[in-house]
């Protein structure tokens, strides 16, 4: 049966589910231990702390097997091919996929114990062959560079925990508006983080990122506090599929803090055209001073009548530290700022069920806003956002 045996695939899927009490997965922890013992060259490809890597791997494997249980092969194959192409930036070689397969197969067999039946063994054998084969094949056949290097040319700290960083890449990177890339900075080697470009792809090699400090985040703290002009960054190829159908219905965009970046890129791209669907952007932050890009949005809206912008801050005033940073207030003419939680302000305007809906921001903000919109009648299939586990 193999890949057609849903019951056996469910056993494999459930093996990667997180423990309800700890949120971790013992199988994945033991897999990495066995893989590093089997192939010592692999350990140097990963950061010293492995918690986030193990969680991401468990999530990906659980999703992959879930898709196979549902007998949907197209999405897993596309996902695996992208992973194979993207993992070249880590220095992953074809031989590593074979040792990964061997270590994972062995760990599954030990972990499942009496549940390791002949049908489960056959499903594991075929599925792991599929995973390793697609990733290795995609990596070997890709003619694009494994990474793009660039130099920081400007770093502006626009708030206490938020910075705008501009780079010039050694060679242009093509990406679609709304996509995101993986980034490595010199202060945190081997710790790759996803960032969304805040401008459309530039044939001249320019690129811009908006970064806010994540509590406890080594990379985001280093970008905001330590990045300087001259730093050399490394970027991977693009991911993601946020998009606006210019022939479709009007658009609702909801941006929380630096979630503005991919939506700003889409808006800038739309401004190339004379006719577009109407776009209503809600841009939210904690304080007024953190609505850092209102001047740019005002300039775009002033020349594009299809764009409406509603700034939203949770608090009506600014904290004392705001005086140390540039005033982000736009000239007169932008929509009146609203006060309150972003999702409350958005849903107060209506259900938005007839719109293309794009959400960007932190995972908690996206979950809450999506749930509130669905509760107001917005069809889930009309709501776009990037993967929350990226």
């Amino acid at each position: 049966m193999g890949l057609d045996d849903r019951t056996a695939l469910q056993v494999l899927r459930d093996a990667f589910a997180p423990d309800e009490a700890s949120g971790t997965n013992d199988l994945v922890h033991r897999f990495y231990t066995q893989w590093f013992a089997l192939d010592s060259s692999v350990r140097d490809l990963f950061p010293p702390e492995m918690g986030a890597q193990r969680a991401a791997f468990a999530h990906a494997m659980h999703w992959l097997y879930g898709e196979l249980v549902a007998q949907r092969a197209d999405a897993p194959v596309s996902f695996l091919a992208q992973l194979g192409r993207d993992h070249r930036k880590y220095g992953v070689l074809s031989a590593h996929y074979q040792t990964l397969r061997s270590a994972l197969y062995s760990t599954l067999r030990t972990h499942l114990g009496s549940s390791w039946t002949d049908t489960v063994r056959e499903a594991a054998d075929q599925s792991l062959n599929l995973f390793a084969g697609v990733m290795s094949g995609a990596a070997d056949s890709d003619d694009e560079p494994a990474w793009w290097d660039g130099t920081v040319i400007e770093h502006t700290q626009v708030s206490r925990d938020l910075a705008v960083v501009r780079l010039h890449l050694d060679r242009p990177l093509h990406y679609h508006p709304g996509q995101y890339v993986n980034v490595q900075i010199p202060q945190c080697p081997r710790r790759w983080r996803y960032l969304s470009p805040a401008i459309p792809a530039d044939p001249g090699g320019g690129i811009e990122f908006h970064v806010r400090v994540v509590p406890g985040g080594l990379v985001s703290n280093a970008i905001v506090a330590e990045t300087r002009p001259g730093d050399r960054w490394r970027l991977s190829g693009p991911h993601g599929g946020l998009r606006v159908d210019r022939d479709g219905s009007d658009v609702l965009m909801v941006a929380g803090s630096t979630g503005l970046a991919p939506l700003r890129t889409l808006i800038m791209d739309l401004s190339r055209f004379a006719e577009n669907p109407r776009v209503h952007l809600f841009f939210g932050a904690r304080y007024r001073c953190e609505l850092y890009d209102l001047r740019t949005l005002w300039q775009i809206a002033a020349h594009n009548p299809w764009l409406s912008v509603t700034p939203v801050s949770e608090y009506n005033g600014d904290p004392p530290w705001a005086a140390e940073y540039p005033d982000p207030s736009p000239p007169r003419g932008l929509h009146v700022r609203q006060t309150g939680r972003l999702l409350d302000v958005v849903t107060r305007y209506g259900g938005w069920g007839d719109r293309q809906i794009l959400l960007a921001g932190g995972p908690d903000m996206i979950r809450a806003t999506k749930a509130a919109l669905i509760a107001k009648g917005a069809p889930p299939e009309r709501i776009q956002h990037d993967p929350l586990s990226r």
Side-chain angles (χ1 to χ4, degrees):
M1 293 283 287
L3 296 180
D4 295 324
D5 190 334
R6 294 189 179 190
T7 301
L9 291 168
Q10 284 174 350
V11 173
L12 297 171
R13 179 198 63 190
D14 295 345
F16 290 97
D19 179 77
E20 292 185 3
S22 65
T24 60
N25 184 284
D26 182 59
L27 162 67
V28 171
H29 193 284
R30 284 192 284 165
F31 154 68
Y32 276 107
T33 300
Q34 184 152 344
W35 191 21
F36 295 160
L38 179 65
D39 188 347
S40 59
S41 68
V42 173
R43 184 62 186 93
D44 291 338
L45 306 181
F46 292 92
E49 66 288 336
M50 288 290 295
Q53 174 64 32
R54 286 193 289 263
F57 182 79
H59 178 86
M61 293 298 293
H62 190 265
W63 178 82
L64 283 168
Y65 276 113
E67 291 294 290
L68 294 181
V69 168
Q71 298 294 288
R72 294 189 293 260
D74 289 348
V77 168
S78 177
F79 172 77
L80 289 164
Q82 180 61 52
L83 277 185
R85 290 188 291 268
D86 192 49
H87 275 52
R88 294 178 303 146
K89 69 178 182 288
Y90 299 121
V92 174
L93 305 174
S94 294
H96 293 139
Y97 290 111
Q98 297 310 310
T99 57
L100 177 148
R101 185 211 176 282
S102 298
L104 192 50
Y105 182 90
S106 175
T107 308
L108 275 167
R109 183 178 57 193
T110 302
H111 177 82
L112 290 174
S114 60
S115 298
W116 185 259
T117 62
D118 287 343
T119 56
V120 171
R121 175 190 56 76
E122 185 178 0
D125 190 55
Q126 292 186 17
S127 60
L128 296 181
N129 284 342
L130 172 68
F131 297 167
V134 171
M135 292 178 71
S136 178
D140 291 342
S141 63
D142 193 0
D143 295 328
E144 286 292 312
W147 58 74
W148 284 256
D149 290 328
T151 302
V152 174
I153 58 174
E154 186 176 343
H155 175 278
T156 305
Q157 193 159 342
V158 295
S159 180
R160 183 171 61 175
D161 60 356
L162 199 156
V164 173
V165 184
R166 297 185 177 94
L167 296 93
H168 184 268
L169 303 178
D170 296 349
R171 54 191 168 198
L173 168 62
H174 176 74
Y175 52 87
H176 297 295
Q179 288 192 300
Y180 55 91
V181 298
N182 223 352
V183 174
Q184 179 183 239
I185 65 173
Q187 293 86 351
C188 302
R190 292 181 291 160
R191 294 181 176 91
W192 292 80
R193 293 297 182 269
Y194 288 115
L195 297 178
S196 296
I199 59 173
D202 175 12
I207 195 166
E208 175 179 318
F209 298 105
H210 300 171
V211 183
R212 182 178 177 182
V213 168
V214 176
L218 293 174
V219 176
S220 62
N221 274 276
I223 290 175
V224 172
E226 302 174 20
T227 293
R228 298 291 182 269
D231 284 357
R232 296 283 289 173
W233 286 21
R234 177 162 289 179
L235 282 61
S236 76
H239 301 263
L242 281 181
R243 62 182 295 272
V244 171
D245 180 2
R246 292 188 55 247
D247 296 321
S249 59
D250 291 340
V251 182
L252 167 66
M253 295 183 175
V254 185
S257 187
T258 52
L260 176 66
L263 304 185
R264 176 190 197 258
T265 306
L266 284 162
I267 289 171
M268 286 182 167
D269 184 67
L270 288 172
S271 67
R272 298 185 298 121
F273 304 97
E275 295 185 7
N276 287 305
R278 289 183 302 161
V279 176
H280 195 139
L281 168 68
F282 289 85
F283 173 33
R286 293 169 301 180
Y287 302 105
R288 292 182 303 175
C289 63
E290 293 178 320
L291 296 168
Y292 63 96
D293 206 39
L294 286 182
R295 291 180 183 270
T296 302
L297 297 173
W298 177 87
Q299 291 170 351
I300 298 174
H303 295 90
N304 294 277
W306 47 264
L307 176 63
S308 300
V309 179
T310 299
V312 181
S313 63
E314 293 186 27
Y315 303 102
N316 196 39
D318 281 335
W321 53 258
E324 302 176 19
Y325 298 96
D327 180 8
S329 301
R332 294 176 60 87
L334 197 69
H335 282 66
V336 176
R337 181 180 56 85
Q338 304 286 313
T339 303
R341 288 198 311 163
L342 182 57
L343 68 88
D344 292 335
V345 173
V346 172
T347 54
R348 198 158 60 224
Y349 277 70
W352 305 100
D354 59 341
R355 305 293 179 102
Q356 303 178 60
I357 301 174
L358 285 73
L359 311 178
D364 291 341
M365 169 263 171
I366 290 177
R367 289 190 189 96
T369 305
K370 183 177 182 179
L373 288 167
I374 292 173
K376 292 283 285 188
E381 63 272 14
R382 296 182 70 89
I383 301 175
Q384 301 179 52
H385 56 81
D386 285 327
L388 299 181
S389 61
R390 71 175 194 179

